Amino acid sequence: YGRKREAMDVILRARDLRLSAFATAAPQLAPLAQIDLPMSGHIRLRASGDGKVRHVALEFEGGGGLIGLPGVLPEPRKVDWAKLRMSFDTDRSAVKLEDFRFGLGGVELGMKGEMRIEERAFQFDGEAALKGVPTERLAEFWLPGMAAGGRRWALANISGGRLDSAKLMVSASGDFQNPDALKIARTVAELRYSDLAVNYLAPLPPVKGVSGTAQFDGATFRFHVEGGQAGAIKVGKSRIDLTGLDGDDHRTEMLIELQASAQETMNFLTQPRLGLPKDLLYNPKRLGGDVALSLSLKFPLLDAMSVNDIVYGATAKLERFSLTNAVGTLNLTDFAGTLQLDMQQLKVAGRG
């Protein structure tokens, strides 16, 4: 207690305290209602000289128990550990969530930001983070109302590997008494993933060993792929965009870099799913050499999609290319050049 400052600073230390017991002590403590596990740490109180509490700060950590979050974990889930650091001024409705993290079977979920509380309603603006999510558990943490079209596509077409990290800037509102009624006004996300298998256009061979990053701005999910393998074809730096996710017209735009032998490349291009005109293609057995291909695909995210829905284009660099019976019985050998393919025509230029 300092007489000149007419203030008190009190620290209360506790062991195996269940913070949920304090949820009704003040409106700002309502978020503690579903933190049901023994925690140890301290509560720091700053009060005026007449004993009126002005500021409250909590810092606790604990082991196993149950935690629920309105709209995120509406039903309390078993956690392995938890850490919490939060503070608020008693004359304000805002709570500063400085660090809230917990473990869910090897996955780490964290939050920090500001939560404004009016009676039982709340508004949260801040950051959420995920670490170490196996792909098979992605549905647990990707909320159904967040980029529903992208979520549906990802859950249906991505397997194996894991989401190494995800950082989301979120603005959301809800009600502590109705935890399912979470309204997300804004989401901006950055993700890093590794060793995925991506089924980008069934029944084409999936790309395996996919690693890279992704960004989401509320309307577009953009995946930057660092590399992978589709059968005998090496996939280089590529991009997959899921667009229109803020409306009903969900579409995919892909720019895929491929490297393979000429035979393997033609085997890929002759897949019926791509719908390329047969008169533009060759029998793979007639080809030799190497190809570096940039393939562009655009199509709607529809459950029932035909080849007529696909818009394609390709540019290829050919090295040591050969074609048996290129003109009559004449063979083309040791050709170097470029190939351009779109919906109307095939163009080849070079020397051989």
Side-chain angles (χ1 to χ4, degrees):
Y1 171 63
R3 291 183 180 276
K4 293 182 179 180
R5 293 187 297 120
E6 293 188 347
M8 291 185 291
D9 197 345
V10 180
I11 296 179
L12 305 174
R13 302 190 182 277
R15 292 180 60 86
D16 296 332
L17 188 67
R18 292 186 180 270
L19 297 181
S20 55
F22 295 88
T24 58
Q28 298 92 332
L29 295 176
L32 303 180
Q34 290 186 300
I35 302 180
D36 186 16
L37 68 156
M39 304 186 77
S40 299
H42 67 266
I43 302 172
R44 184 168 186 165
L45 307 175
R46 292 178 187 169
S48 60
D50 60 3
K52 185 175 182 179
V53 176
R54 303 289 189 185
H55 181 80
V56 179
L58 296 85
E59 186 169 349
F60 282 86
E61 60 181 56
L66 297 173
I67 287 181
L69 293 173
V72 180
L73 301 175
E75 294 295 328
R77 294 273 301 277
K78 184 177 180 180
V79 301
D80 310 312
W81 56 270
K83 293 184 178 181
L84 171 66
R85 192 169 73 250
M86 61 179 283
S87 61
F88 61 91
D89 295 327
T90 57
D91 60 350
R92 295 186 62 220
S93 63
V95 176
K96 187 176 182 181
L97 196 60
E98 298 163 5
D99 186 20
F100 181 33
R101 289 177 291 142
F102 50 90
L104 287 159
V107 175
E108 179 179 316
L109 175 60
M111 299 175 63
K112 59 182 178 181
E114 184 176 86
M115 181 178 287
R116 295 184 298 279
I117 300 172
E118 298 292 343
E119 295 182 351
R120 305 303 297 178
F122 68 86
Q123 170 70 39
F124 175 78
D125 293 282
E127 177 184 301
L130 277 169
K131 293 182 180 180
V133 183
T135 301
E136 60 267 23
R137 296 184 61 190
L138 192 59
E140 295 180 35
F141 303 98
W142 191 333
L143 302 182
M146 185 181 295
R151 181 181 189 270
R152 183 170 60 252
W153 182 88
L155 296 181
N157 294 286
I158 296 177
S159 61
R162 72 176 194 166
L163 177 64
D164 298 309
S165 63
K167 183 183 295 185
L168 299 87
M169 301 304 297
V170 178
S171 178
S173 60
D175 190 314
F176 290 115
Q177 293 182 330
N178 187 11
D180 289 322
L182 185 71
K183 297 180 180 179
I184 301 174
R186 178 180 61 88
T187 305
V188 177
E190 296 182 359
L191 303 88
R192 176 165 288 278
Y193 48 86
S194 60
D195 202 27
L196 306 182
V198 180
N199 188 10
Y200 58 97
L201 188 60
L204 297 182
V207 183
K208 298 182 179 180
V210 174
S211 299
T213 60
Q215 294 81 39
F216 174 64
D217 62 8
T220 299
F221 226 132
R222 173 163 291 173
F223 294 84
H224 296 277
V225 176
E226 295 174 357
Q229 196 78 23
I233 297 177
K234 180 181 179 181
V235 179
K237 291 185 180 297
S238 303
R239 194 185 78 216
I240 300 174
D241 291 350
L242 308 181
T243 63
L245 300 180
D246 55 344
D248 297 324
D249 186 19
H250 303 161
R251 293 184 168 273
T252 300
E253 297 183 11
M254 301 182 180
L255 183 60
I256 306 173
E257 301 292 334
L258 306 172
Q259 291 182 343
S261 69
Q263 288 191 358
E264 292 296 345
T265 302
M266 191 57 64
N267 277 328
F268 173 80
L269 294 176
T270 55
Q271 296 279 344
R273 185 60 164 151
L274 289 176
L276 301 183
K278 292 183 179 180
D279 56 354
L280 298 182
L281 304 173
Y282 295 104
N283 185 331
K285 294 180 180 180
R286 296 171 58 195
L287 304 179
D290 299 310
V291 177
L293 177 70
S294 294
L295 177 64
S296 170
L297 296 172
K298 299 179 181 180
F299 51 87
L301 284 175
L302 300 174
D303 294 331
M305 183 182 65
S306 71
V307 295
N308 295 326
D309 295 317
I310 302 173
V311 177
Y312 58 81
T315 300
K317 182 179 180 181
L318 310 176
E319 296 286 347
R320 298 180 300 278
F321 181 77
S322 64
L323 173 62
T324 303
N325 298 330
V327 180
T329 59
L330 297 178
N331 300 329
L332 176 66
T333 60
D334 201 24
F335 177 84
T338 59
L339 175 150
Q340 290 183 318
L341 173 69
D342 58 28
M343 300 288 289
Q344 285 80 36
Q345 60 187 344
L346 171 68
K347 293 182 179 180
V348 179
R351 179 179 298 177

